[in-house]
Structures are given as structure tokens and as C-alpha cells.
Amino acid sequence: MKTLIAAYSAGGLQVSGAARLREAICSRLPRVGLTFQQNCVALTALAVLQWEITFLIMGLGCCILILYLLTTPLWPISALYLTWLTTDWRTPEKGGRRSAWVRGWSVWKYFRNYFPIELIKTCDLPSNRNYVFGYHPHGIMSVGAFCNFCTEATDFSKTFPGIKPSLATLAGQFRLPIFRDYLMAGGLCPVSRGAIDHLLSQSGCGRAVVIVIGGAAESLKCRPGSTHLMLLKRRGFVRLALRHGADLVPVFSFGENDIFHQVALPEGSWAQCLQTRFQKLVGFAPCIFHGRSVLGKYVCGILPFSLPIHTIVGEPVTVPKIDEPTDEDVQRFHTLYVESLVKVFNSNKLKYGLREADCLVID
């Protein structure tokens, strides 16, 4: 106690008393346990770990739980939920059921701080328009897309007031009981024409549908330092934007490809062919990847490496409303979108660890 009092009184005018007291307390902590800083690091790692476990096994786990309860005296719980599910089946296609409470959970702040993740605005987005955000690159798990657009960890609502983002993901995930409700609470929606049409036409202005354009095919090309995008043949999002008069907004996350290391399968090998076939059949790619372990950054594990992700939201490409856009219309605005995306990349690459010679490789 005398040590703490002495430290407090010795601060003078140079350092505040509270800061001196905190420093004195922290100097004592290693003798009895983890320091405050170590506790914060542990909490950020746990926040990311729970997110990974949730998205990897929660869907299957909820299916098993519902079926198991049907074989126990608690079967009415499952029966009631399944009955309600039949009446709620099409909700994901009709705007979903987002929850400001879930999006604002404190755990997402720890999730953000693990990397950290930063959302950077280049211009204002008027709330009297709708938008289609194209997110690049896909990465392994699209961590930046989730953090920025499915939570308020990076203060999206304050950065872009009046805009409600909805991240589009695989429609099959919304057929999994309970897990579907968790996804909708974060504002996610199926990446289907019906769901996106509803958001852009039936939900008023100020809606932003976020589509990870490269999809599963791009995730197979994910490597640290890679700037390889699958975009040239991806034109469906432009056609959707034209049909609804929704402006196209390029979004690029520097660092998204760096947080995992993927095992590269030999080109033309049976394993690579099986991986590609599975991706085309199911819709997602069974990547073999690793990060760091919960035991330390020098041990392989499923935790991503704690490297920064900087998400740049570029200037929108103004899109007119055309009920039946021609292929020429789609091609013209696709070209404008690609040019805007390249501008975002070239204007920021030196700030975030890339070289002047680095450029986007667009297939």
C-alpha cells in the first residue's frame, strides 16, 4: 500500500495521479496473475475464437440439438420451434430481422481490436439512395466484411448515417435452425435475387447490400500479399444495381488476405480437382488453411494472425434505373466499377504496406 501511495504522490504535474496509480498497480500484477494488457489480449483472442467456432459448427450443432431434443422429454421445445419455423421460412428473403442489440454487443469491439480492423470513408453516401457494395478480396473467411457490416464495432452507422448494410451470404445457411436467426440478427441476408430485390425495392432508401464479389472461387487464390481478384466475369451484381438504380460502391480491404496461410494444392492434382468440384457443387470452398494457435503465435492453429485490416469504402458509381438492362449497359457500368475499384487500390496501397509496383490482378 505504501508503494502505491508513494507512486501516486510522486507524479507531480507531469503525469496524472490516476496514471501513476494504474502504473503502480500494473507493476505489481505479474506477481499475482495476468497484467491488464495480457487480459485484454486474451479477451480479443477469445472473441475471435468464439466467432470462428460459431460460423464453423453452430449451424450443424443446432440441427443436431433440435433432432436430439425430439427424442427427449423436452421434445415440445423442438416441436414448437419447428412449427414456428414453417411460418417464418421466407423471412430471410423478405428483409430479415436485424437486431441493433446483437450488432452492438461489446464482444465485437474485442473482435475488432484483435487485428485491429479499421473502416475508412472516402466520401459521404447520401441516405436518399440505395447501394450495392462490392467487397474485395474474399480472403478465407471475409473477416473484414463481417466486422464492418454485420456489427457496429467500427461504427458503421456513425460513419455512414442513415445507411443500413446487409451482408449477403450463402442462402443455404438460412435453412439451418436457430443459426439462421443469429445470422439475420446481424443483418445478413441470402445472396439470392429475391432477397436482394426485396432489400433494394421494398425497404425504402438508405439500404446497402454488401456482396463479396469473388466468392468461393476467389478464396482458393487467397495468399498473403496476393491482390488476385475474380471479377471480370462477375456481372450479376451490376445488373441488379441497374434494375434498381442502386449506386455501385467499391470496397477494398487491405490485409484481408494476410491473416491466414492457405496450403496450395498442386495444379491439376486430384486433390485440387476435388476441391474445385466441391466448390462448384456446394457453393463454398473447402480451403486448407492455418493461422496461429491459442497457445502462442508461433504455433499453428485456427486463430487468424493478428494483422491489421484496413477497409476502404470508395466513391460510388452513379447508376441509373433501367428495368431491362442490356448486355452493353451491364458491360459499361461494370467497366466503370472496375476503374473505380482500381483507383481505390492505387490511391491507398502505399499507405498499407504494398509497393508502388503492386497492382490488382483481375480475372
Side-chain angles (χ1 to χ4, degrees):
M1 189 61 169
K2 291 180 180 179
T3 302
L4 300 183
I5 294 173
Y8 181 86
S9 59
L13 296 175
Q14 298 178 0
V15 183
S16 70
R20 278 286 181 178
L21 184 59
R22 184 168 62 251
E23 182 181 346
I25 293 173
C26 288
S27 68
R28 291 292 201 183
L29 282 176
R31 301 181 183 180
V32 296
L34 293 175
T35 64
F36 176 77
Q37 182 179 8
Q38 288 171 323
N39 275 317
C40 287
V41 171
L43 286 173
T44 60
L46 285 174
V48 175
L49 184 62
Q50 67 80 26
W51 174 78
E52 285 189 300
I53 292 174
T54 295
F55 277 86
L56 290 174
I57 68 172
M58 182 178 176
L60 178 61
C62 289
C63 290
I64 294 173
L65 176 63
I66 290 293
L67 293 175
Y68 170 74
L69 288 179
L70 288 173
T71 67
T72 71
L74 298 176
W75 66 266
I77 296 176
S78 285
L80 286 172
Y81 177 82
L82 292 174
T83 301
W84 171 80
L85 186 60
T86 59
T87 65
D88 193 62
W89 189 251
R90 295 196 57 80
T91 296
E93 298 278 341
K94 297 181 178 180
R97 189 168 45 243
R98 65 197 296 124
S99 166
W101 176 64
V102 172
R103 290 173 58 87
W105 281 350
S106 297
V107 68
W108 306 132
K109 297 287 186 182
Y110 289 102
F111 181 94
R112 175 203 65 194
N113 292 340
Y114 174 84
F115 297 95
I117 298 172
E118 180 184 16
L119 179 66
I120 301 163
K121 178 174 73 171
T122 58
C123 67
D124 292 330
L125 297 180
S127 59
N128 62 347
R129 297 282 294 172
N130 285 330
Y131 302 92
V132 174
F133 284 25
Y135 184 87
H136 313 270
H138 184 286
I140 295 293
M141 299 182 73
S142 299
V143 171
F146 173 82
C147 185
N148 287 304
F149 305 119
C150 300
T151 79
E152 286 298 324
T154 55
D155 295 322
F156 182 93
S157 295
K158 294 179 181 178
T159 306
F160 297 101
I163 306 296
K164 287 185 177 181
S166 297
L167 178 61
T169 187
L170 291 175
Q173 297 186 81
F174 294 89
R175 300 187 182 100
L176 302 175
I178 303 176
F179 185 54
R180 66 190 288 276
D181 303 295
Y182 179 70
L183 293 178
M184 285 192 289
L188 285 91
C189 70
V191 61
S192 65
R193 178 172 173 174
I196 295 174
D197 280 346
H198 188 280
L199 285 171
L200 295 178
S201 63
Q202 304 295 323
S203 301
C205 295
R207 301 307 297 254
V209 176
V210 185
I211 304 175
V212 186
I213 306 296
E218 189 174 279
S219 69
L220 295 177
K221 298 182 181 295
C222 167
R223 304 287 186 279
S226 170
T227 55
H228 197 141
L229 304 182
M230 304 293 288
L231 180 57
L232 285 184
K233 297 181 180 179
R234 307 294 173 105
R235 297 187 176 91
F237 72 103
V238 178
R239 191 177 297 276
L240 273 170
L242 284 166
R243 290 177 58 245
H244 296 285
D247 294 346
L248 291 165
V249 181
V251 181
F252 193 91
S253 276
F254 291 90
E256 181 72 60
N257 282 342
D258 299 335
I259 58 176
F260 287 109
H261 291 175
Q262 183 173 184
V263 177
L265 299 177
E267 193 70 26
S269 66
W270 67 268
Q272 196 262 349
C273 292
L274 183 63
Q275 186 183 54
T276 304
R277 188 179 295 274
F278 185 90
Q279 175 255 314
K280 292 180 179 179
L281 181 65
V282 180
F284 70 92
C287 302
I288 304 173
F289 65 91
H290 72 85
R292 51 160 291 192
S293 168
V294 293
L295 302 176
K297 61 182 179 180
Y298 300 110
V299 182
C300 291
I302 65 169
L303 272 179
F305 296 106
S306 51
L307 299 172
I309 297 175
H310 304 280
T311 302
I312 317 294
V313 180
E315 296 182 13
V317 175
T318 303
V319 175
K321 188 176 188 301
I322 304 176
D323 292 333
E324 295 295 334
T326 64
D327 291 342
E328 289 75 17
D329 294 328
V330 173
Q331 181 59 50
R332 179 158 61 94
F333 283 95
H334 185 275
T335 300
L336 291 174
Y337 174 83
V338 171
E339 290 174 353
S340 183
L341 175 63
V342 171
K343 179 182 177 182
V344 169
F345 177 82
N346 289 336
S347 300
N348 293 277
K349 62 184 179 182
L350 295 180
K351 300 177 188 176
Y352 303 117
L354 297 180
R355 302 165 299 170
E356 182 65 42
D358 292 326
C359 60
L360 284 179
V361 179
I362 301 177
D363 286 341

